[in-house]
Amino acid sequence: DSGVTQTPKHLITATGQRVTLRCSPRSGDLSVYWYQQSLDQGLQFLIQYYNGEERAKGNILERFSAQQFPDLHSELNLSSLELGDSALYFCASSVGDGTRSYEQYFGPGTRLTVT
Amino acid sequence: GNSVTQMEGPVTLSEEAFLTINCTYTATGYPSLFWYVQYPGEGLQLLLKATKADDKGSNKGFEATYRKETTSFHLEKGSVQVSDSAVYFCALKGRSGGYQKVTFGTGTKLQVIP
């Protein structure tokens, strides 16, 4: 158990809908990272927040957005869902802001299926 | 930009066989290098890391050496067990587009048979 929690574990929804994925980082970690893992794209970095502020951006679509709240939990919002958005979405956390090689601890993931 | 290339799987080995999973990278500057492992139905776990050239990361019998001259970070284990069956990801952490980002390889599935 990494200490990172993600809800829900599974999510099935229809095209065009909007969903919110939630992540709680390990106690004491200030950074939250979101990743998408799909069969054709592999593991892709989406976005990082550090202490409530966006810190780094990866291959995140405009239909997707994220935020980190004062209690440090984070939400990833996916809207106008398409079939290709079906994937495993992982959250990870680390103690630092990403400038040093602190370990990232991964949550168990949320499996999103868009039908 | 930064990239990581690792050997395609799946790799199937008998128990106690020697394992090598190749990983090469492209990056500017001096990235840190990692191996992560993903067991079925779970998230990724850090297996080992190396932060500078010639460093050797090791954990649970796995080893990898940061080779700057060949831009490689191959994962090795002398004697694999059935419990090592998992997907292994090579990754680098380096500067890309003004940020420090982690870039993952596509993963290599290892299956160890008794």
Side-chain angles (χ1 to χ4, degrees):
Chain A
D1 184 355
S2 66
V4 178
T5 59
Q6 289 187 247
T7 56
K9 201 163 186 169
H10 302 277
L11 199 48
I12 301 174
T13 189
T15 54
Q17 295 298 305
R18 173 190 167 93
V19 297
T20 298
L21 312 184
R22 183 189 168 102
C23 167
S24 292
R26 286 188 331 149
S27 176
D29 283 359
L30 299 178
S31 272
V32 169
Y33 307 78
W34 285 99
Y35 293 89
Q36 180 193 57
Q37 186 179 35
S38 60
L39 282 174
D40 54 344
Q41 295 283 327
L43 193 62
Q44 300 276 325
F45 166 68
L46 297 178
I47 197 163
Q48 176 202 354
Y49 277 81
Y50 174 73
N51 205 19
E53 301 285 328
E54 183 183 301
R55 179 55 66 105
K57 225 168 184 175
N59 303 321
I60 187 165
L61 300 172
E62 282 192 18
R63 300 183 285 110
F64 296 1
S65 65
Q67 54 185 326
Q68 187 179 28
F69 294 87
D71 67 352
L72 300 176
H73 91 271
S74 177
E75 292 181 355
L76 178 68
N77 299 297
L78 315 176
S79 61
S80 302
L81 284 167
E82 301 174 0
L83 294 177
D85 297 328
S86 296
L88 257 175
Y89 290 85
F90 286 108
C91 166
S93 73
S94 72
V95 63
D97 61 359
T99 51
R100 296 193 178 184
S101 296
Y102 293 112
E103 178 175 351
Q104 290 186 24
Y105 293 85
F106 281 76
T110 293
R111 181 171 292 283
L112 173 66
T113 303
V114 182
T115 61
Chain B
N2 298 336
S3 67
V4 175
T5 303
Q6 58 182 107
M7 64 189 285
E8 298 231 353
V11 173
T12 302
L13 294 174
S14 298
E15 210 165 16
E16 299 183 5
F18 185 87
L19 168 72
T20 301
I21 301 178
N22 290 336
C23 170
T24 57
Y25 67 90
T26 303
T28 53
Y30 303 94
S32 296
L33 301 174
F34 307 83
W35 277 100
Y36 281 84
V37 58
Q38 185 179 27
Y39 297 102
E42 297 183 15
L44 278 71
Q45 301 172 28
L46 180 66
L47 182 59
L48 53 84
K49 71 177 183 183
T51 57
K52 61 183 188 298
D54 300 325
D55 266 3
K56 179 187 278 190
S58 61
N59 186 26
K60 299 181 183 178
F62 290 90
E63 291 184 341
T65 302
Y66 189 146
R67 301 277 187 212
K68 194 162 176 62
E69 63 276 12
T70 54
T71 61
S72 65
F73 193 55
H74 304 320
L75 182 68
E76 296 182 335
K77 186 174 186 183
S79 175
V80 292
Q81 306 300 312
V82 172
S83 57
D84 294 326
S85 298
V87 180
Y88 292 83
F89 291 88
C90 184
L92 74 82
K93 184 172 187 178
R95 188 159 287 277
S96 177
Y99 302 108
Q100 286 282 335
K101 290 181 189 172
V102 179
T103 303
F104 286 87
T106 52
T108 301
K109 185 173 182 177
L110 169 66
Q111 184 177 16
V112 181
I113 52 178

